[in-house]
Amino acid sequence: MKDKIGIFGGSFDPMHSGHTKLAHYLLSKLELSSLIIMPAAVSPFKSETYSSDEDRLNICRLSLPEEQFVISDFEISRGGVSYSYDTVSFFKELYPEDEILFVIGEDQLLIFNKWRRWKEILQKVTLVAVKRNNCTPISELEDFADKNIRPFGKVIILPFEPFEVSSTQIRERQKNGESIEGLVSPQAQKYIAEKGLYLGIDEQLLLKDVRKRLSDYRYHHSVCVAESAKELAKRFGADEYKAYIAGIAHDILKEQPEEEAKSLFDKAGVSLSELEKRSKKLWHAIAGEAYLREKYSLPEDILSAVRYHTTGKGNMTLLQKILFVADFISADREYDGVRDMRERAKESLETAMEEGLRFTIEELSAKCLPIHPDTLSAYNQILLRKEKEI
Ligand code: DGI
Ligand code: FE
Ligand code: FE
């Protein structure tokens, strides 16, 4: 018996719930034996706000795991722009006995007769136009198809209740730190979070920059803090990827000459308090934030974790606390009591912070150095909260 095989192409960057809903609908409505999902090859010079071919394919596989969905890398491995004629021809040769149904959107139907070798495409496939929005009434689409396309081949126009989501929207939400729950499959959501996709972070460039700017020892420290932060994020339910990046980046300007920090403050319009002017050890966190914002446009939550990793502050976010504590317990740290501190951090971030802040305050007092008000706010807040609990 003749099988019906669908081909559903797109950029799928990433595949979202609208795509998966449509894929399931096509499978049942058209009684397909399989639906080939065809992510398009895209320019290799695209920016880091998009994801790699590998990631796009993996997200498709995770989003449509059922065996009737075949995730194809045909166009991606050919590279460059694929013409639908070539793709369709390949599959028609592969399945000469079967009916191939080629899925397009309604907007494409209206210009289908401008496509390259469109008449030849129609000789090989049944065209399926999915009506996605309410722009063009169905009668008009049918009319257009009757007049322009049907003389040359088969066209099915399928109404479909669209799911209001787009890949652009997902990329933007992800970049802004907003939830994408429900907009992609749960498996895809997990994958996107773990790999930090669509955050606009050029991880390789950042890592190279950190390596270049820091001594072996300080670079090693940064990697250890990143590992610790990731572990804490896992334990306390924060974004592991962001925690890792914050760790990698947190001391990026630790070894830069004072002059560079000063010029960064000027450029970013940062004005330091008297205390901050005197306490040069605090500069790397303040300048680090400005540098990472300007050069990498890292997400705000990562930037603020870097900004407050040395002093802490009142009302810290989970990510800020995680970086602050990770800096104390990373594998390279060797001070007396570091083991206890690591154990404490496993139980409670607050308790570890309290200990760390007390340690810093005592050390600074012993050296007659001023204590930053943010450090005191962080410390006092924890103590007062504890008192309330008692
Ligand atoms: O950069 P790291 O060495 O990994 O660690 P860090 O960013 O916590 O920096 C520690 C240094 O910062 C240490 O020399 C003490 C100093 N520091 C931390 N909190 C304060 C502070 N210095 C002053 N003056 N006031 C503070 O509140
Ligand atoms: Fe630091
Ligand atoms: Fe550090």
Side-chain angles (χ1 to χ4, degrees), residues 218 250-251 254 284 309-310 327:
R218 184 57 57 179
H250 82 288
D251 277 339
K254 182 84 180 177
H284 74 287
H309 86 268
T310 306
D327 204 5

Side-chain angles (χ1 to χ4, degrees), residues 66-189:
E66 295 83 357
E67 62 181 354
Q68 296 97 315
F69 299 111
V70 180
I71 315 301
S72 170
D73 66 353
F74 175 76
E75 289 190 5
I76 281 178
S77 25
R78 288 182 50 155
V81 181
S82 283
Y83 288 104
S84 297
Y85 173 77
D86 299 327
T87 304
V88 154
S89 301
F90 173 81
F91 285 98
K92 188 63 195 171
E93 265 169 46
L94 200 59
Y95 308 110
E97 303 302 324
D98 299 325
E99 183 187 0
I100 310 275
L101 294 98
F102 186 67
V103 180
I104 61 172
E106 67 166 83
D107 45 336
Q108 290 302 311
L109 176 71
L110 296 171
I111 53 165
F112 188 73
N113 50 358
K114 309 271 186 313
W115 280 30
R116 191 170 176 267
R117 304 177 84 167
W118 64 280
K119 287 182 191 165
E120 289 162 89
I121 295 178
L122 287 171
Q123 284 163 12
K124 296 174 192 276
V125 305
T126 299
L127 202 59
V128 178
V130 179
K131 193 177 153 34
R132 282 184 220 186
N133 55 41
N134 297 319
C135 289
T136 319
I138 201 132
S139 56
E140 225 170 275
L141 292 174
E142 292 287 359
D143 226 36
F144 179 87
D146 282 344
K147 288 207 181 83
N148 303 284
I149 322 274
R150 287 202 171 108
F152 306 95
K154 246 174 105 184
V155 181
I156 300 172
I157 298 172
L158 267 189
F160 175 67
E161 191 62 47
F163 184 81
E164 286 308 327
V165 59
S166 68
S167 296
T168 314
Q169 184 193 3
I170 286 162
R171 292 195 301 264
E172 267 163 23
R173 292 188 69 88
Q174 180 68 2
K175 171 115 185 114
N176 297 336
E178 295 160 349
S179 169
I180 55 166
E181 193 174 349
L183 302 181
V184 298
S185 74
Q187 293 77 8
Q189 192 189 346

Side-chain angles (χ1 to χ4, degrees), residues 12 14-17 19-21 23-24 37 39 51-67 69-72 180 183-198:
F12 302 118
M15 173 168 275
H16 55 63
S17 302
H19 296 133
T20 54
K21 218 179 127 202
H24 283 280
I37 304 293
S51 68
S52 68
D53 294 340
E54 187 63 24
D55 287 331
R56 287 190 297 137
L57 286 166
N58 283 338
I59 292 169
C60 288
R61 291 181 190 117
L62 289 166
S63 304
L64 293 171
E66 295 83 357
E67 62 181 354
F69 299 111
V70 180
I71 315 301
S72 170
I180 55 166
L183 302 181
V184 298
S185 74
Q187 293 77 8
Q189 192 189 346
K190 188 159 171 274
Y191 183 91
I192 290 169
E194 274 170 7
K195 300 202 73 183
L197 303 182
Y198 309 113

Side-chain angles (χ1 to χ4, degrees), residues 188-318:
Q189 192 189 346
K190 188 159 171 274
Y191 183 91
I192 290 169
E194 274 170 7
K195 300 202 73 183
L197 303 182
Y198 309 113
L199 292 175
I201 300 176
D202 192 334
E203 196 182 327
Q204 292 314 314
L205 199 68
L206 174 67
L207 207 64
K208 260 196 243 156
D209 197 7
V210 171
R211 176 62 281 208
K212 190 187 77 196
R213 286 174 172 274
L214 298 178
S215 59
D216 289 353
Y217 158 74
R218 184 57 57 179
Y219 177 72
H220 174 64
H221 164 71
S222 304
V223 174
C224 290
V225 171
E227 295 290 346
S228 274
K230 189 175 164 188
E231 227 176 278
L232 290 173
K234 187 171 185 156
R235 178 176 295 271
F236 295 105
D239 189 312
E240 293 175 48
Y241 181 82
K242 286 185 174 178
Y244 183 84
I245 293 293
I248 289 291
H250 82 288
D251 277 339
I252 188 164
L253 293 192
K254 182 84 180 177
E255 295 172 349
Q256 294 315 294
E258 276 173 26
E259 290 314 313
E260 185 169 345
K262 278 191 190 149
S263 79
L264 264 165
F265 295 145
D266 286 347
K267 220 164 90 187
V270 178
S271 59
L272 300 185
S273 66
E274 278 310 309
L275 187 152
E276 287 164 348
K277 276 184 200 151
R278 270 190 56 188
S279 315
K280 296 191 175 146
K281 289 264 169 65
L282 301 178
W283 288 12
H284 74 287
I286 306 171
E289 183 208 16
Y291 176 78
L292 294 165
R293 171 176 285 114
E294 143 85 15
K295 174 117 192 246
Y296 296 97
S297 22
L298 293 187
E300 285 302 323
D301 45 359
I302 297 182
L303 291 174
S304 82
V306 170
R307 169 67 181 79
Y308 295 103
H309 86 268
T310 306
T311 56
K313 70 189 268 293
N315 301 321
M316 286 170 85
T317 64
L318 183 56

